[in-house]
Amino acid sequence: DVQTGVVYNLWLGLTLALLSAFLIGSSVILKKKALLRLASGGHTRAGECFSMGAGEVCNFAAYMFAPATLVTPLGALSVLISAVLSSYLLGEALNVLGKLGCLLCVLGSVLLVIHAPQEQEVTSLQDMTDKLLEPGFLVFVSAVLLLCLLLVFYVSPRFGRSNILVYISICSLLGAFTISSVKGLAIVINTVFSDVSVLGRPLTWILLLTLIVSIVNYLNKSLDTFNTLLVFPVYYVLFTSVVLLTSVVLFQEWNKMSVPDVVAALAAFLVIVVGVAMLQLFRDLQVTMKQLTNQLAPRVEQEGLPEVPANGRAAGRKEDKYTLMDNMVIDSLPPMREEGPRVFIIS
């Protein structure tokens, strides 16, 4: 029987997820600095590789102690961290929209932590086996697999370089297999110290093989073809949505959550999505708070013209033949004939 009532070590998982986001976000900055050194004829260092690898290890370990519903969306914080660090270490200005995006990411993350599921539904490899063989998940994973094959062999060769959703959709759908394998292997690692026999279970090696196959990275193809500012927000939304759906179908982490908690978790995810979009899409837009204030403030006078008093006439302004038409009294003109040209003569 599936064991229930086992509580996540939420704070340890949260700490590992945040550490992962920091290391992955900082690795982006280290990579940029390495490219700058390479361009200037210097030598690069392996710091960015270590930082990225350590971040992925922490992210993997976070799935042992926290639900996938919490760990995966918090990956957006790596975008926030890289944006903040780039403003200080690389001199890249963070505009007011980017700062607002950072605030939304933090707010959404806090809400997600507050309303995350607290009890584990899968606590052993036997539980994982039972969940994988449930009819609902088998139907779900079959549909995902068929859609992936359709995208890879039919849609991708025809529309991959013209539609941004093709490569990103492949990566996102493969995330269903990746997250299932990572969660299962995390359970294996967590129990191997007390029960070495889990290494002899066929499911352990099936999960490992699935993980290796599912990490085929179509995201690089998308980055080579389309604008990075569009790729990352779209990828985050699609990948996290697939992971959340997989979590609902396979791990059933939301079964013990109340309706307000489910609604709040989804709302938190949407807040993070908006924050990531603002960070990425408006990153190169030069907007300051002063400019926004000037746009919102009422304009008392037009550019190059004095203030117009209530009587509608500008003080000291001499009327000429071009402004006379505004003040003409049409009724004072002689009546016009019904036929023939109509001519106004202004002297």
Side-chain angles (χ1 to χ4, degrees):
D1 294 335
V2 177
Q3 302 174 13
T4 57
V6 180
V7 180
Y8 280 110
N9 193 338
L10 191 62
W11 292 108
L12 179 57
L14 175 62
T15 302
L16 290 170
L18 294 177
L19 180 60
S20 170
F22 175 78
L23 291 173
I24 293 175
S26 61
S27 70
V28 176
I29 305 304
L30 292 174
K31 187 174 183 178
K32 285 185 178 181
K33 291 179 71 69
L35 291 174
L36 291 175
R37 286 196 300 268
L38 184 63
S40 61
H43 298 284
T44 62
R45 299 178 181 177
E48 66 274 9
C49 299
F50 172 78
S51 179
M52 178 67 75
E56 294 297 343
V57 170
C58 290
N59 187 63
F60 183 90
Y63 285 100
M64 297 183 188
F65 307 104
T69 306
L70 174 64
V71 176
T72 304
L74 287 182
L77 293 180
S78 62
V79 180
L80 181 153
I81 291 169
S82 64
V84 173
L85 291 179
S86 65
S87 64
Y88 288 100
L89 300 180
L90 299 178
E92 298 179 356
L94 188 63
N95 59 33
V96 64
L97 296 178
K99 294 176 181 178
L100 183 58
C102 291
L103 180 62
L104 290 176
C105 287
V106 173
L107 177 61
S109 300
V110 172
L111 290 175
L112 197 61
V113 171
I114 294 174
H115 298 281
Q118 300 293 325
E119 292 186 355
Q120 290 178 292
E121 293 292 336
V122 180
T123 58
S124 67
L125 203 59
Q126 183 59 48
D127 294 342
M128 190 72 180
T129 304
D130 296 337
K131 293 292 185 182
L132 290 173
L133 294 178
E134 286 188 356
F137 178 73
L138 291 176
V139 172
F140 170 76
V141 76
S142 299
V144 171
L145 181 59
L146 288 175
L147 187 55
C148 279
L149 294 175
L150 178 65
L151 289 173
V152 170
F153 294 106
Y154 180 79
V155 180
S156 177
R158 292 168 174 79
F159 308 105
R161 295 195 170 274
S162 60
N163 193 320
I164 191 174
L165 293 176
V166 176
Y167 292 138
I168 297 179
S169 296
I170 296 174
C171 291
S172 302
L173 291 173
L174 288 175
F177 300 97
T178 304
I179 204 66
S180 304
S181 304
V182 168
K183 188 71 174 180
L185 291 174
I187 294 174
V188 171
I189 295 174
N190 198 30
T191 58
V192 70
F193 299 103
S194 58
D195 185 10
V196 185
S197 63
V198 295
L199 295 179
R201 299 283 295 273
L203 181 60
T204 300
W205 302 103
I206 293 174
L207 292 173
L208 181 60
L209 179 62
T210 303
L211 176 62
I212 294 174
V213 174
S214 64
I215 59 176
V216 176
N217 198 350
Y218 277 84
L219 186 62
N220 289 336
K221 292 186 177 181
S222 185
L223 291 172
D224 291 339
T225 308
F226 303 100
N227 192 334
T228 306
L229 298 179
L230 296 176
V231 171
F232 277 111
V234 175
Y235 173 68
Y236 173 77
V237 172
L238 292 181
F239 179 81
T240 308
S241 299
V242 170
V243 170
L244 292 178
L245 184 58
T246 305
S247 174
V248 171
V249 176
L250 175 60
F251 304 120
Q252 301 177 10
E253 293 173 338
W254 293 18
N255 283 355
K256 300 295 181 64
M257 294 175 63
S258 62
V259 174
D261 283 336
V262 172
V263 173
L266 292 176
F269 169 59
L270 293 178
V271 170
I272 296 175
V273 167
V274 174
V276 171
M278 294 183 69
L279 271 171
Q280 290 290 114
L281 298 180
F282 304 111
R283 184 172 59 187
D284 295 332
L285 187 62
Q286 301 300 322
V287 180
T288 63
M289 183 62 72
K290 184 177 180 180
Q291 291 174 335
L292 290 179
T293 304
N294 292 338
Q295 290 292 330
L296 295 176
R299 300 180 63 182
V300 179
E301 60 183 36
Q302 297 181 359
E303 184 178 346
L305 295 178
E307 183 178 352
V308 179
N311 59 8
R313 289 181 177 272
R317 181 180 174 188
K318 185 178 180 180
E319 294 179 344
D320 55 20
K321 62 182 180 180
Y322 296 105
T323 60
L324 186 59
M325 288 293 297
D326 295 333
N327 300 319
M328 285 180 59
V329 181
I330 304 300
D331 294 339
S332 63
L333 295 175
M336 292 181 285
R337 296 182 298 172
E338 295 295 332
E339 69 281 350
R342 301 178 182 181
V343 179
F344 292 94
I345 299 177
I346 302 175
S347 58

